[in-house]
Amino acid sequence: MLDKEETVERKKIGIGAMTIATILTIVFVFFGIILVMRMIGKNNLATVVAGTEDTEAAGPEIGEKSHQLDENQILYEGKPYTLNTDLITILVMGIDKETVETVGGQSWSAEEAEEYAGGQADALFLAVLNPHDKNVYVIAINRNSMVDVDVFDQEGNYVGRFKKQVALQHGYGDGREESCIRQVKTVSRMFHNIPIHAYAAISMDAIPALNDAVGGITVEVLDDIIYPEYDMDLHQGDMVTLNGEKAYWYVRLRNENVFNSNELRLQRQKQYLTTFAAEAKNQSMADIRVAVRLYQTVQKYMVTDIDLGSFTYLATEALDYDFNIDSLYSLKGETVQGNLFEEFYIDEAALEELIVSLFYEPVTEPDPPQ
């Protein structure tokens, strides 16, 4: 018969074993859920944005086609390339409804403001996750890029396709999913029909909350930003830590009296994006809850087709990927002054070269039989 002390000791061992088993069970279940969500999320991201499948009247295909090549292959400068179908491409839009009031120093009429009531995509970035080299590439798209925009009247009837600034496409919609899908179609067409798998349209109002969620972002100021009315007195070369509204104004403000001011602002947006991404990644690697908090923070400011499963896949996958300033590209081209606003005309040759380098891979010849 067991004495009292031995019984107590066995109870301790039993309780300890049960506790460990319970913890292990929770861990296995938790990571099982994570793995399932990753699988579902990966499958969801394997398809293009719903509603953008049709390519009727789309732009020209890149490179040359040949009957000797497979469906996803092209000839570029005489060499065969194949589309990397493992890429995940996401269009990120920074939406600012205030831009319907004034753009380029010019006031909009009430009719024009109503025409773009969905809000303009004041910032456009194409994020490309490449599992082959474990890199994230981001293409910054000039908001004034002159492209074919699908125009709709105020009743939602299709009017036609006209050459306009790419940022205006989002305004021809409901400001939510409809606007996003139309923007995705236009950007895909602009990039010679590359597939885009997801979108996220984020109100610029989210910047202060996201910025402060990682403790602020420190940058070297790229150009003078002097706006007393917004408490902004920053000079080129200053090292500053952006907190709250200062982060918002840093990426939003531009000197409308300076020609090509949007390009100067775009450089600041690129700088802020890479710095924020590095800080968010470092903190998330130390504590994955940071990524979850960021997602929760941005949810109320965002319209997206990235569900929780897809986000789980992206958040856990991206931690293993590299992203730095060398992975951030801008479109080459020329800015000219239009009748009212600045217009950016893309260097098509440079765009094709960029598309081939990021979305295609050289076709390798099979090794000869031994």
Side-chain angles (χ1 to χ4, degrees), residues 106-177:
Q106 299 289 332
S107 297
W108 294 79
S109 67
E111 291 77 13
E112 289 171 321
E114 181 65 26
E115 183 180 9
Y116 306 122
Q120 295 179 46
D122 216 34
L124 284 164
F125 295 94
L126 204 56
V128 183
L129 283 74
N130 188 340
H132 294 180
D133 61 11
K134 294 291 184 180
N135 271 301
V136 177
Y137 301 98
V138 175
I139 305 170
I141 302 171
N142 191 313
R143 70 174 307 283
N144 294 327
S145 299
M146 300 299 290
V147 301
D148 290 334
V149 170
D150 293 317
V151 175
F152 298 80
D153 64 22
Q154 294 179 19
E155 283 71 44
N157 300 310
Y158 181 66
V159 176
R161 190 169 288 170
F162 300 89
K163 197 69 91 174
K164 291 175 175 280
Q165 285 96 339
V166 66
L168 300 180
Q169 181 65 84
H170 187 273
Y172 289 107
D174 58 0
R176 297 190 61 78
E177 288 81 4

Side-chain angles (χ1 to χ4, degrees), residues 33-34 37-38 306-317:
I33 292 172
I34 291 293
M37 291 176 71
R38 274 175 54 85
I306 301 174
D307 58 19
L308 184 58
S310 298
F311 173 76
T312 302
Y313 173 75
L314 289 171
T316 52
E317 184 78 3

Side-chain angles (χ1 to χ4, degrees), residues 20-236:
I20 292 171
T22 302
I23 291 172
L24 287 175
T25 301
I26 292 171
V27 168
F28 284 132
V29 169
F30 173 76
F31 282 104
I33 292 172
I34 291 293
L35 287 172
V36 169
M37 291 176 71
R38 274 175 54 85
M39 290 172 61
I40 295 172
K42 184 177 182 181
N43 290 336
N44 289 345
L45 289 167
T47 58
V48 298
V49 173
T52 66
E53 299 89 345
D54 66 288
T55 57
E56 183 181 357
E61 294 290 344
I62 192 170
E64 306 169 27
K65 300 296 290 184
S66 168
H67 68 278
Q68 297 176 330
L69 299 176
D70 294 337
E71 181 182 356
N72 288 325
Q73 292 183 343
I74 60 168
L75 280 176
Y76 179 72
E77 295 186 345
K79 297 179 181 178
Y81 291 83
T82 187
L83 182 69
N84 182 353
T85 55
D86 292 328
L87 296 176
I88 296 174
T89 305
I90 304 169
L91 180 63
V92 181
M93 299 160 267
I95 307 303
D96 196 342
K97 290 194 175 182
E98 290 185 38
T99 54
V100 301
E101 302 300 334
T102 61
V103 177
Q106 299 289 332
S107 297
W108 294 79
S109 67
E111 291 77 13
E112 289 171 321
E114 181 65 26
E115 183 180 9
Y116 306 122
Q120 295 179 46
D122 216 34
L124 284 164
F125 295 94
L126 204 56
V128 183
L129 283 74
N130 188 340
H132 294 180
D133 61 11
K134 294 291 184 180
N135 271 301
V136 177
Y137 301 98
V138 175
I139 305 170
I141 302 171
N142 191 313
R143 70 174 307 283
N144 294 327
S145 299
M146 300 299 290
V147 301
D148 290 334
V149 170
D150 293 317
V151 175
F152 298 80
D153 64 22
Q154 294 179 19
E155 283 71 44
N157 300 310
Y158 181 66
V159 176
R161 190 169 288 170
F162 300 89
K163 197 69 91 174
K164 291 175 175 280
Q165 285 96 339
V166 66
L168 300 180
Q169 181 65 84
H170 187 273
Y172 289 107
D174 58 0
R176 297 190 61 78
E177 288 81 4
E178 182 181 72
S179 287
C180 291
I181 291 172
R182 289 174 180 173
Q183 188 73 71
V184 167
K185 280 186 176 182
T186 297
V187 172
S188 176
R189 186 167 60 235
M190 171 185 178
F191 278 79
H192 297 270
N193 307 323
I194 60 157
I196 297 177
H197 304 94
Y199 61 78
I202 305 169
S203 168
M204 299 291 256
D205 296 337
I207 293 173
L210 288 170
N211 180 87
D212 293 355
V214 296
I217 296 297
T218 300
V219 297
E220 180 179 346
V221 180
L222 299 181
D223 60 293
D224 293 345
I225 311 172
I226 304 170
Y227 287 84
E229 63 270 35
Y230 300 116
D231 193 27
M232 293 291 285
D233 187 18
L234 304 180
H235 298 267
Q236 185 176 358

